Amino acid sequence: MWVSLFGALLCCGVMFVINWWAALITYAIELFLYIYVTYKKPEVNWGSSTQALYFVNALDSALALTTVEDHVKNFRPQCLALTGAPMVRPALLDITHTFTKNNGLCICCEVYTGPRKLCVKEMNSGMEKKQAWLTKNKRKAFYAAVAADSFRDGVKSLLQASGLGRMKPNTLVIGFKKDWRSAPATQVENYVGIIHDAFDFELGVIIVRISQGFDISPVLQVQGIFPSIWLPKATYCLTYQTSFHIFFFLITESTINTIQSMHVGEFNQRLLEASTQFKKKQGKGTIDIWWLFDDGGLTILIPYILTIRKKWKNCKLRIFTGGKANRIEEEKLVMASLLSKFRIKFADINIICDINIKPNKESWKFFEEMIEPYRLHESCKDITTAEKLKRETPWKITDAELEAFKEKSYRQVRLNELLQEHSRAANLIVLSLPVARKGAVSDYLYVAWLEILSKNLPPVLMVRGNHKNVLTFYS
């Protein structure tokens, strides 16, 4: 570097020795051009040798990673987040980014459905803008989009093809579909199908639920921030959590001022506050972990990563797990020993002995009323009529299915009672995601389980790993 600088200065000196007035004219022209370009600031990419070097280094590093075998101590969450346009569901992006920042891969995904030509055109026109939004908002994430015939087909493509070499997603992050009761049956089928697809492709799954919902596109539209041309595509991502978007999508520009003065403004404010809740520093409190199944340790790893982040460092971990009443102290010691081997600090361990008892009558009645519109009631009909209804509405919950999985339904309702009792004041709840056997449990019954399990609670992360170990003991 210093030799190059010396050579450049020597060349400048030789110019004056050869012809001093020609050298002065040359420098004057160079100065004029420099001032002109600085003043005009043309939007031109002049190219950069540094950019080429970054590319080569990144390519070499990615190729070098492919030669290294995976090891549990190097595991990190690499997330495929179904956010749609990242600015539309910022809270879902924020919580995902919290446990991937500086450690893992985060890809914000969007699926375009509809006429292929229009979808591809819109997708290509927005790629750079949405990636630029992530960069501007200091989100260390990539944006990816696909055009597909259906939402589920698009997600399947993303699950299989996203990433590069070892830098591939191992965890799917989606929002809870709060509008499942009013949504078409095909949307509910797609939603549950995506969860099954993730497990089939050996990914873990995280379903996030917050009280106000994730989708703030109605607010952005009212404020004139979100282009109205994007609104018809709101159906291509199943992570929105409120049915209010149907109302807002019918709003015209001439009624915006009227709407802002109505009670809708209060709802918008609550929605915006909820969308920023994971950006704020969390006060002293707890992250409650309900570790009910052995899934490889992802249910423990995610909250642990949160506690080492600046915004969550004041929150302590409380562990809840099932056990027997006559072995509470013994099981506490076993769990404490296990967590110490994992080098995970915790504030308290609670052994819950009454998980498998029947819920109270009021809770069970609420669950039955919730699923009533989706039941077939074939036992009350003759065989011919019942078979016809099964063919016409295969997504409905049969009496035989409800009876076969009654104990599991009891368990979800009972767990919500326990969550209300023990974790109502927690900053965040992380609990094991129940899994339904494909083809055995109907889509509506499974979504009803998720609904009753996470109802009326603080922010909830329902987590299920792919049964590959993600935690390691001391060597």
Side-chain angles (χ1 to χ4, degrees):
M1 182 178 66
W2 297 109
V3 174
S4 300
L5 178 61
F6 175 75
L9 294 174
L10 187 62
C11 289
C12 293
V14 171
M15 287 175 63
F16 282 95
V17 171
I18 295 173
N19 192 326
W20 63 270
W21 57 267
L24 285 175
I25 293 173
T26 302
Y27 279 114
I29 293 172
E30 290 177 355
L31 183 63
F32 170 76
L33 291 174
Y34 174 77
I35 294 173
Y36 176 78
V37 171
T38 304
Y39 177 75
K40 287 290 186 179
K41 295 181 180 178
E43 294 183 3
V44 179
N45 184 1
W46 302 103
S48 169
S49 59
T50 305
Q51 181 183 4
L53 184 62
Y54 284 158
F55 178 84
V56 172
N57 289 340
L59 184 61
D60 289 342
S61 298
L63 289 171
L65 275 175
T66 60
T67 64
V68 180
E69 291 186 11
D70 287 331
H71 193 280
V72 62
K73 70 180 181 183
N74 294 323
F75 177 88
R76 57 203 65 211
Q78 303 195 115
C79 297
L80 190 77
L82 298 185
T83 60
M87 66 285 291
V88 175
R89 296 173 180 82
L92 186 62
L93 172 59
D94 288 338
I95 190 63
T96 307
H97 186 256
T98 302
F99 49 79
T100 61
K101 182 181 179 182
N102 298 329
N103 281 307
L105 177 70
C106 180
I107 305 177
C108 299
C109 298
E110 187 169 14
V111 178
Y112 288 81
T113 59
R116 180 57 61 92
K117 188 175 181 180
L118 292 176
C119 286
V120 171
K121 182 179 179 181
E122 184 179 347
M123 179 180 71
N124 292 337
S125 65
M127 293 283 284
E128 291 186 5
K129 292 179 182 178
K130 290 166 186 176
Q131 183 63 55
W133 185 90
L134 290 169
T135 304
K136 181 180 178 181
N137 287 272
K138 298 180 180 179
R139 295 291 177 266
K140 295 184 178 180
F142 298 96
Y143 172 77
V146 295
D149 295 331
S150 70
F151 180 74
R152 185 176 178 182
D153 288 342
V155 176
K156 278 184 180 179
S157 299
L158 291 165
L159 290 172
Q160 295 176 84
S162 295
L164 186 68
R166 296 290 185 193
M167 295 184 294
K168 291 181 70 69
N170 53 33
T171 306
L172 174 69
V173 182
I174 59 177
F176 176 68
K177 186 170 177 58
K178 193 175 181 180
D179 71 333
W180 64 275
R181 280 178 274 190
S182 59
T186 52
Q187 286 193 11
V188 178
E189 181 184 359
N190 282 338
Y191 183 81
V192 177
I194 287 165
I195 298 172
H196 289 308
D197 293 338
F199 290 132
D200 288 343
F201 294 127
E202 297 187 346
L203 274 75
V205 174
I206 299 176
I207 300 178
V208 189
R209 182 174 186 178
I210 58 176
S211 59
Q212 294 296 329
F214 289 111
D215 189 359
I216 65 167
S217 58
V219 180
L220 299 180
Q221 172 64 6
V222 170
Q223 294 177 350
I225 298 173
F226 196 53
S228 59
I229 191 173
W230 291 350
L231 286 178
K233 295 298 180 189
T235 58
Y236 55 60
C237 190
L238 294 173
T239 60
Y240 54 80
Q241 292 197 12
T242 173
S243 59
F244 284 89
H245 71 286
I246 298 172
F247 174 75
F248 277 100
F249 288 177
L250 301 176
I251 295 171
T252 61
E253 293 182 4
S254 61
T255 60
I256 287 177
N257 292 332
T258 306
I259 288 168
Q260 287 178 334
S261 63
M262 296 168 61
H263 294 297
V264 174
E266 184 180 345
F267 171 77
N268 287 352
Q269 185 62 33
R270 292 201 305 269
L271 192 59
L272 282 175
E273 289 175 359
S275 71
T276 61
Q277 63 181 297
F278 297 126
K279 290 181 180 177
K280 302 173 183 176
K281 186 173 182 179
Q282 304 294 316
K284 288 185 178 181
T286 64
I287 298 176
D288 287 1
I289 305 171
W290 289 71
W291 195 12
L292 307 175
F293 306 100
D294 180 14
D295 60 352
L298 190 64
T299 308
I300 288 286
L301 179 63
I302 293 299
Y304 169 72
I305 292 175
L306 289 176
T307 59
I308 62 177
R309 302 300 189 194
K310 186 177 180 181
K311 293 175 183 175
W312 292 86
K313 67 179 182 180
N314 292 327
C315 294
K316 297 181 179 180
L317 298 181
R318 291 199 306 171
I319 314 296
F320 294 83
T321 188
K324 297 180 179 179
N326 58 350
R327 297 184 57 190
I328 290 179
E329 293 304 322
E330 182 181 341
E331 291 184 0
K332 276 188 178 182
L333 290 174
V334 171
M335 180 59 68
S337 174
L338 181 64
L339 293 173
S340 66
K341 290 179 180 179
F342 289 145
R343 304 177 293 280
I344 292 176
K345 296 180 180 179
F346 57 91
D348 191 20
I349 295 176
N350 297 272
I351 306 298
I352 307 299
C353 305
D354 51 353
I355 292 178
N356 294 317
I357 67 173
K358 285 186 179 181
N360 63 53
K361 292 181 179 179
E362 291 77 12
S363 300
W364 180 248
K365 184 180 178 182
F366 176 84
F367 179 77
E368 288 187 316
E369 290 174 351
M370 182 174 64
I371 63 173
E372 179 61 31
Y374 315 104
R375 292 187 61 183
L376 192 63
H377 289 295
E378 78 278 8
S379 59
C380 301
K381 302 175 178 65
D382 60 81
I383 297 175
T384 305
T385 305
E387 290 299 324
K388 182 181 178 182
L389 287 173
K390 284 181 182 180
R391 289 193 299 270
E392 293 176 350
T393 54
W395 46 268
K396 283 201 170 185
I397 305 168
T398 64
D399 294 341
E401 176 193 359
L402 192 60
E403 184 63 31
F405 294 101
K406 195 166 189 177
E407 291 299 324
K408 200 160 186 179
S409 298
Y410 278 157
R411 182 182 176 88
Q412 312 313 321
V413 178
R414 177 58 184 159
L415 276 172
N416 182 261
E417 293 177 350
L418 293 170
L419 286 162
Q420 298 282 354
E421 179 183 346
H422 297 283
S423 299
R424 183 72 177 171
N427 293 51
L428 181 71
I429 298 172
V430 181
L431 62 93
S432 298
L433 172 70
V435 177
R437 290 203 308 270
K438 191 190 298 186
V441 179
S442 63
D443 299 331
Y444 275 93
L445 180 58
Y446 181 62
V447 179
W449 286 350
L450 301 184
E451 168 74 35
I452 197 65
L453 183 61
S454 57
K455 186 176 178 60
N456 297 329
L457 292 170
V460 177
L461 270 62
M462 292 177 276
V463 182
R464 191 69 170 228
N466 59 2
H467 295 284
K468 291 183 179 179
N469 290 332
V470 302
L471 297 172
T472 180
F473 293 144
Y474 279 119
S475 298

